[in-house]
Amino acid sequence: MPRFEARVAITEALKSNVFNTFLNFLSNPKRREYPSYLLHQICIQGLYKGEEKNEMRLGVCSRSNDVIEPMIKPQWYVNCNGIAKEALNDVMDENNKKIDILPKQYAAEWKRWLENIRDWCVSRQLWWGHRVPAWYVTLEDDKLKELGTYMDHWVVARDEKEAEAEAKKVFSGKEFELAQDPDVLDTWFSSGLFPLSVLGWPDDTQDLKTFYPTVVLETGHDILFFWVSAMVMLEMILGGDVPFQKFS
């Protein structure tokens, strides 16, 4: 079947009862049956073209020997557009430079990354790390109770007590339960707090007043973007200034 005809045929199949049957099948999932079921439905629709062997690498769980498959999941993002521009200028603006990168050729790498900045995905599905400081509010009259179902049911706070107070404000007069997001923060996000946290932040300590911002950061240029730029962007917001004057 020609490619464009196949596209139309698949679209029509998805609109038909075949797709509804497939959705019912998914409601009682047996993952290992998916491939044969899909093949059967494709054959029924006359869309089956043939079969070829295709070598590929499959990730396998070391404990269960199950094939590891990706699962699409909502994530937490930080909009970096504004702060990335400031971090870029702190290195590239010769009239108001705050940070020197040595050797100087790595400034071009800094420029390349920060001029093409994207939203930063800061959530990770791991067993260790700083928990994402967000709590999901399940209302007593919610039809669906699964965590994360309603995007407007999240509150962000420093701790559960503060989250509860915020939830009472947003959902005034309603009965609810709170559950913290099980995700943890990206390692680079957490480690980006290093220049502040070692000096006692968020408390206004004497060390913080005396030694922040620091003078020199010595690390590998391969993590110029992943760690160094994270520190600069975070500390400009949380500490009010760049975290160091030189990076080499």
Side-chain angles (χ1 to χ4, degrees):
M1 180 181 291
R3 179 162 55 96
F4 293 105
E5 288 182 24
R7 182 184 299 172
V8 173
I10 290 172
T11 302
E12 292 304 316
L14 292 176
K15 292 178 181 178
S16 70
N17 289 331
V18 171
F19 186 55
N20 292 328
T21 304
F22 181 52
L23 290 180
N24 291 332
F25 174 78
L26 292 181
S27 66
N28 298 291
K30 294 181 179 179
R31 182 175 56 79
R32 290 184 177 85
E33 296 178 10
Y34 289 173
S36 57
Y37 181 85
L38 286 172
L39 178 60
H40 176 65
Q41 293 300 330
I42 290 171
C43 290
I44 290 175
Q45 295 298 312
L47 302 175
Y48 183 68
K49 183 179 178 181
E51 180 178 319
E52 292 181 9
K53 289 187 176 182
N54 178 39
E55 289 189 11
M56 60 187 299
R57 291 174 180 263
L58 288 176
V60 177
C61 177
S62 61
R63 295 184 178 183
S64 66
N65 290 323
D66 231 357
V67 174
I68 298 172
E69 299 181 15
M71 180 175 68
I72 298 175
K73 184 180 183 298
Q75 306 290 343
W76 292 97
Y77 288 83
V78 173
N79 185 330
C80 297
N81 289 330
I83 196 64
K85 186 176 181 179
E86 289 186 46
L88 176 63
N89 291 336
D90 286 339
V91 172
M92 306 305 297
D93 187 350
E94 294 296 336
N95 297 320
N96 192 29
K97 180 179 288 193
K98 293 184 178 180
I99 302 175
D100 280 317
I101 293 181
L102 302 173
K104 292 185 180 296
Q105 66 260 31
Y106 286 104
E109 187 76 359
W110 182 270
K111 184 173 184 288
R112 182 176 69 86
W113 277 103
L114 294 181
E115 278 188 338
N116 298 283
I117 197 72
R118 297 184 180 182
D119 291 347
W120 181 5
C121 179
V122 295
S123 50
R124 296 290 183 272
Q125 293 72 58
L126 301 172
W127 288 106
W128 56 89
H130 296 130
R131 288 278 293 277
V132 171
W135 279 259
Y136 185 73
V137 182
T138 302
L139 300 177
E140 188 177 44
D141 55 357
D142 280 344
K143 290 183 179 180
L144 303 175
K145 304 292 185 180
E146 186 178 355
L147 187 144
T149 301
Y150 303 104
M151 296 306 295
D152 60 350
H153 280 28
W154 288 100
V155 294
V156 176
R158 294 174 184 269
D159 52 40
E160 188 168 353
K161 184 177 180 180
E162 189 177 299
E164 185 176 2
E166 181 65 19
K168 286 180 179 177
K169 187 189 303 180
V170 175
F171 303 100
S172 179
K174 296 185 178 182
E175 294 294 321
F176 62 82
E177 293 182 1
L178 281 179
Q180 188 175 0
D181 193 326
D183 286 1
V184 299
L185 292 168
D186 171 29
T187 302
W188 298 116
F189 187 93
S190 293
S191 61
L193 300 173
F194 172 76
L196 289 173
S197 59
V198 295
L199 297 176
W201 181 88
D203 296 331
D204 190 21
T205 65
Q206 189 58 46
D207 281 349
L208 190 62
K209 294 175 183 177
T210 304
F211 299 111
Y212 187 87
T214 60
V215 179
V216 179
L217 172 70
E218 173 67 37
T219 188
H221 292 94
D222 55 328
I223 53 175
L224 177 66
F225 172 73
F226 300 103
W227 187 36
V228 182
S229 68
M231 283 192 282
V232 173
M233 289 190 288
L234 283 173
E235 266 66 318
M236 286 170 64
I237 295 173
L238 302 174
D241 200 352
V242 295
F244 36 76
Q245 298 166 14
K246 289 185 179 181
F247 161 68
S248 64

